[in-house]
Amino acid sequence: MKKYLLNFAAAAFIFPLHSAEVSLDNDAFVDAEKKVRHSSYQNFKTAVNNLDHPLKPYVEKTYWQRHPNIKYQAEIESYLTIYQHTPLEWPVREAWLKYLKRKNKKAAYINNYRETSNTALTCTYLDFQLDLGAPEKAILNQVTDLWTVGKSQPEECDSLFSLWRKKGYMSKEIVWQRITLAAQGGKQSLLPYLKTLLPKGERYLADLYLKVRRDPSASAGLYRYKKKSVKEGQIALYGVKRLVWRDKELALKAWEKLEKIFKYSDEAKADVYYTFALSLASSGHKQASFWLNKVPKERLDSKLIQWQLGNMLKTQDWEGIAAFFTGKDNLSLGQQYWLAYSYEQRGEQQKADSIFVKVAANRDYYGFLAAARLGLPIELNNQALVVEQKLLDKVSNAPGFKRAKALYELKRFTAARREWNYLTNTSSDDEKLAASKLAAELDWYDSAIFTLAKIKAWDYVELRFPFAFQDVFERYSKRSKIDVAWSIAIARRESSFAPDARSHANAHGLMQLLPSTAKYVNKSSVSSNRLYQPKTNIRLGSSYLQYLKKKNHGNEILATASYNAGYHRIKRWLPDEAIPAELWVELIPYRETRDYVKNVFAYRQVYHTRMGREGNVLAPLLEMKMGG
């Protein structure tokens, strides 16, 4: 049975439930947390007993992580039981398990172990079970799964692997399976070792896999396939699917020959057709349509359909679009829009308008475009979020909410979001709505936005598109002479208004600025800490938008695309002959940038309308041309 947040065991006795706001002594918490890092057990107990704060369990976590001791086994295990599945559990459980291993407390380790992605802990758990008399077969069957991975495993697994191999569990099939995993996306450095586990007559296969992994063009050398075996065919198939992304012409020639010398299944061929279609279509290759048509209907997904559509749009094949989409069920809004557009281009205005009207009823990029075409007013379809005070009180007094709130106040945003995610992941939909409302009231913009998205509560527009940092956006948008609805839409798309957001590409803050970009705009270096400050980030982000708008001669579509993909790349995407702007957006070759532009302009329309402004910000696209 699902455990909702208010049924969580700790709720009843750790913190009393009440709705009154209490001023927290955060200094007392921080002081206690600091003291227990290097204190005695007695001083730790004194610090905890004297502390009245929602984050008291974090003080306990700090101590137990650093000072696990078998003398306090009952206390530690009680803590782990109370905070099971919360963000507080695993830092303590991991430290406790490592301690029990060092002390060789096998039974206690087994009792305290829980399923984890930490392979070292898992191997120790299985090892200890064997030592205490667990059935060997049951344990070694689990070892098979641990061994058959595409990477090296920790040394804690060595003794298990040795026994597993000695007992005859390592078959040729399992060795080949691991070689395949290591070659196809795993650690290629593992292949020389795995090669030694193959029969002598097959060791060349590991070398061939390694060569093809490092240089996919090697798969085109037919002389390498000495025996025309199934395993050679597998390597060739892997190589040619990688090769088509690097050298399309060579891949096409290679596949024509490989298909004749290896007996591939229909499923394997469909994989090749899919990969070739995706690669060729995304680069605008002349054979794209041929390969798209070779993909079996059941393998056509949204990515391929988008490229199929893109190829027909590129050639302005209105008859082809109408034939491809007419009569199909469950068309996306984009597919409906372009079907209507194709009807319009063919002179079938009545058919076109009947579809445009339906699309225009949606709060979406295509909905706003369709509304612009028909001259219809913008409808945001906003729904007010009404939650009973009783439910708000319950959620606000849940321990997880209190901990999240206190952590936000301390600017420990990562820890706060872990608590928030646990809270919402273990709550009912009604509780999620209440939590979203509370988050919005506390200006936890990203938490409210992501929580509503979890339950697909799309119509609470005011919570999903808040006027976050409005005065700062207005000030710097005015200074940079750009539309404030545009700059705030960029931030909504980039970070959902999380000031501490950081991307894998090392972009920082609300408007996700790279340090190099910030330095260029600021004309001097800007520290990461400053980029996390809303005022600095918005100032520099607004200036960067102004710069991109100027570089693109006032074209905000191109400036938006440049913000995501870079100005120089966007310039390369402009066609030699001018095409309609809405068509150009649909043909942006990078899906991320294509979706980015659509989202930003849809969000801009939402903010434009929420500000009480009239008009459709997408209407200019209908008259705008790109390229030429």
Side-chain angles (χ1 to χ4, degrees):
M1 188 172 117
K2 186 173 181 179
K3 293 182 180 178
Y4 291 137
L5 69 95
L6 303 174
N7 295 327
F8 177 48
F13 57 90
I14 297 176
F15 300 113
L17 299 184
H18 57 85
S19 59
E21 279 292 324
V22 177
S23 178
L24 299 179
D25 188 351
N26 287 331
D27 289 340
F29 159 70
V30 172
D31 184 56
E33 186 183 44
K34 191 182 299 182
K35 282 180 180 177
V36 304
R37 284 180 183 141
H38 305 288
S39 71
S40 65
Y41 174 76
Q42 191 56 51
N43 288 339
F44 156 61
K45 296 303 287 185
T46 300
V48 168
N49 291 335
N50 289 339
L51 184 65
D52 181 19
H53 196 281
L55 297 182
K56 182 189 288 189
Y58 279 82
V59 177
E60 296 174 285
K61 176 180 80 73
T62 299
Y63 183 80
W64 294 131
Q65 269 186 279
R66 289 162 176 75
H67 307 285
N69 194 306
I70 199 68
K71 284 167 44 178
Y72 311 117
Q73 180 176 355
E75 279 189 70
I76 293 171
E77 291 179 353
S78 174
Y79 180 93
L80 291 173
T81 298
I82 291 170
Y83 297 106
Q84 190 172 8
H85 305 308
T86 74
L88 293 156
E89 177 194 1
W90 262 101
V92 174
R93 189 175 295 281
E94 184 175 10
W96 180 230
L97 288 172
K98 288 179 178 178
Y99 167 84
L100 292 172
K101 182 194 173 186
R102 289 196 304 272
K103 297 297 182 181
N104 205 33
K105 300 291 184 181
K106 298 178 182 179
Y109 186 102
I110 291 169
N111 187 54
N112 282 274
Y113 174 84
R114 299 292 182 271
E115 188 174 342
T116 174
S117 59
N118 186 319
T119 306
L121 295 179
T122 301
C123 284
T124 300
Y125 170 67
L126 295 176
D127 231 344
F128 282 174
Q129 282 189 300
L130 278 176
D131 291 345
L132 295 184
E136 190 176 84
K137 184 177 180 181
I139 299 300
L140 294 182
N141 280 335
Q142 296 177 65
V143 174
T144 300
D145 291 336
L146 289 171
W147 191 84
T148 316
V149 295
K151 61 181 180 179
S152 297
Q153 294 288 43
E155 63 181 16
E156 285 84 353
C157 300
D158 289 350
S159 62
L160 274 175
F161 290 162
S162 178
L163 176 64
W164 173 82
R165 186 175 177 181
K166 182 180 177 182
K167 294 291 183 177
Y169 282 80
M170 191 178 72
S171 66
K172 287 194 302 182
E173 291 73 22
I174 288 173
V175 171
W176 183 250
Q177 188 179 343
R178 190 174 188 190
I179 286 173
T180 300
L181 291 169
Q184 297 190 14
K187 290 287 185 181
Q188 57 179 306
S189 57
L190 190 59
L191 289 172
Y193 159 69
L194 294 175
K195 168 186 172 180
T196 66
L197 304 178
L198 287 171
K200 286 186 178 180
E202 292 190 359
R203 290 179 184 174
Y204 78 96
L205 292 168
D207 293 331
L208 180 56
Y209 237 145
L210 183 59
K211 189 168 188 62
V212 170
R213 164 73 179 264
R214 290 174 174 169
D215 179 12
S217 67
S219 63
L222 302 186
Y223 67 90
R224 293 189 170 90
Y225 308 115
K226 302 172 183 178
K227 301 178 181 178
K228 310 295 185 291
S229 66
V230 172
K231 288 176 181 175
E232 287 181 346
Q234 182 180 330
I235 297 170
L237 198 70
Y238 162 70
V240 78
K241 286 194 293 183
R242 293 189 70 220
L243 179 60
V244 75
W245 294 99
R246 299 192 183 187
D247 188 334
K248 291 170 176 46
E249 300 308 322
L250 182 58
L252 288 166
K253 291 177 183 176
W255 173 247
E256 187 179 353
K257 295 174 182 178
L258 291 172
E259 193 175 15
K260 293 175 182 176
I261 67 173
F262 292 111
K263 293 182 179 179
Y264 290 120
S265 67
D266 290 342
E267 184 179 357
K269 289 179 181 179
D271 281 342
V272 173
Y273 301 158
Y274 180 95
T275 305
F276 275 41
L278 195 59
S279 174
L280 297 170
S282 62
S283 63
H285 194 277
K286 60 185 178 182
Q287 290 195 39
S289 294
F290 172 78
W291 286 91
L292 282 164
N293 290 326
K294 282 179 75 71
V295 178
K297 288 183 179 180
E298 62 272 14
R299 293 294 304 274
L300 284 174
D301 59 12
S302 59
K303 285 193 290 188
L304 281 186
I305 290 172
Q306 175 65 35
W307 284 115
Q308 182 84 296
L309 171 62
N311 273 273
M312 290 187 286
L313 288 174
K314 192 176 293 183
T315 58
Q316 300 190 17
D317 181 6
W318 311 124
E319 285 73 19
I321 292 173
F324 188 77
F325 289 113
T326 298
K328 283 189 170 63
D329 296 326
N330 302 317
L331 293 182
S332 69
L333 287 176
Q335 291 160 5
Q336 292 177 56
Y337 182 86
W338 290 110
L339 175 59
Y341 189 99
S342 71
Y343 284 143
E344 185 175 74
Q345 297 303 310
R346 284 154 45 111
E348 300 178 75
Q349 195 64 49
Q350 190 173 352
K351 275 187 178 180
D353 288 349
S354 68
I355 298 174
F356 280 137
V357 167
K358 293 176 183 176
V359 175
N362 294 273
R363 185 184 56 251
D364 174 87
Y365 168 79
Y366 295 106
F368 297 146
L369 264 183
R373 282 196 164 277
L374 300 175
L376 296 174
I378 294 298
E379 296 290 344
L380 295 185
N381 304 315
N382 178 49
Q383 182 179 341
L385 178 54
V386 179
V387 181
E388 290 184 5
Q389 187 61 45
K390 184 178 179 181
L391 184 56
L392 290 171
D393 289 344
K394 286 182 178 179
V395 174
S396 65
N397 282 290
F401 185 90
K402 289 187 173 186
R403 292 196 294 268
K405 185 172 184 293
L407 289 164
Y408 269 111
E409 289 176 2
L410 288 163
K411 300 190 184 302
R412 298 186 184 185
F413 298 120
T414 301
R417 288 193 185 92
R418 288 194 186 112
E419 286 285 1
W420 181 265
N421 290 336
Y422 170 74
L423 179 86
T424 53
N425 288 340
T426 55
S427 65
S428 68
D429 285 356
D430 284 344
E431 289 166 341
K432 286 183 178 69
L433 289 175
S436 299
K437 189 173 180 65
L438 290 167
E441 290 172 356
L442 292 165
D443 293 343
W444 304 347
Y445 305 110
D446 60 312
S447 294
I449 290 167
F450 290 129
T451 303
L452 290 169
K454 280 182 182 179
I455 54 175
K456 302 187 187 319
W458 308 122
D459 291 335
Y460 300 116
V461 177
E462 291 179 7
L463 271 66
R464 292 186 59 236
F465 296 93
F467 287 114
F469 310 101
Q470 184 178 6
D471 57 336
V472 186
F473 277 109
E474 287 178 346
R475 183 188 319 155
Y476 291 113
S477 295
K478 185 176 181 180
R479 179 183 294 183
S480 298
K481 298 178 182 178
I482 60 172
D483 178 22
V484 65
W486 184 31
S487 60
I488 200 168
I490 291 280
R492 169 63 172 79
R493 174 59 180 79
E494 290 284 356
S495 68
S496 294
F497 304 118
D500 63 315
R502 181 174 178 176
S503 74
H504 294 300
N506 200 35
H508 294 62
L510 288 167
M511 299 186 76
Q512 287 291 276
L513 293 170
L514 291 168
S516 57
T517 302
K519 181 179 180 180
Y520 180 81
V521 173
N522 197 53
K523 297 182 172 55
S524 64
S525 295
V526 185
S527 69
S528 295
N529 285 339
R530 287 186 64 206
L531 285 178
Y532 290 129
Q533 296 170 0
K535 183 176 177 180
T536 299
N537 195 282
I538 294 170
R539 173 175 64 82
L540 295 173
S542 300
S543 294
Y544 187 47
L545 276 175
Q546 179 191 38
Y547 164 79
L548 291 174
K549 182 176 177 179
K550 186 176 180 180
K551 286 282 285 184
N552 285 286
H553 308 291
N555 189 311
E556 293 173 348
I557 292 285
L558 293 179
T560 301
S562 299
Y563 197 96
N564 176 260
Y567 170 74
H568 295 290
R569 184 177 288 150
I570 299 304
K571 296 298 284 185
R572 294 198 298 270
W573 293 346
L574 289 173
D576 294 332
E577 294 184 14
I579 62 173
E582 59 185 319
L583 198 58
W584 181 83
V585 170
E586 202 67 40
L587 294 174
I588 291 174
Y590 282 16
R591 179 182 177 182
E592 179 189 334
T593 305
R594 185 168 65 243
D595 290 345
Y596 183 89
V597 172
K598 294 175 187 176
N599 286 336
V600 166
F601 270 79
Y603 295 173
R604 181 177 180 179
Q605 180 65 66
V606 171
Y607 280 107
H608 181 89
T609 303
R610 285 209 65 206
M611 290 172 181
R613 299 172 176 179
E614 297 293 329
N616 189 317
V617 299
L618 279 84
L621 269 73
L622 305 183
E623 308 298 329
M624 190 186 299
K625 300 289 184 181
M626 296 290 196

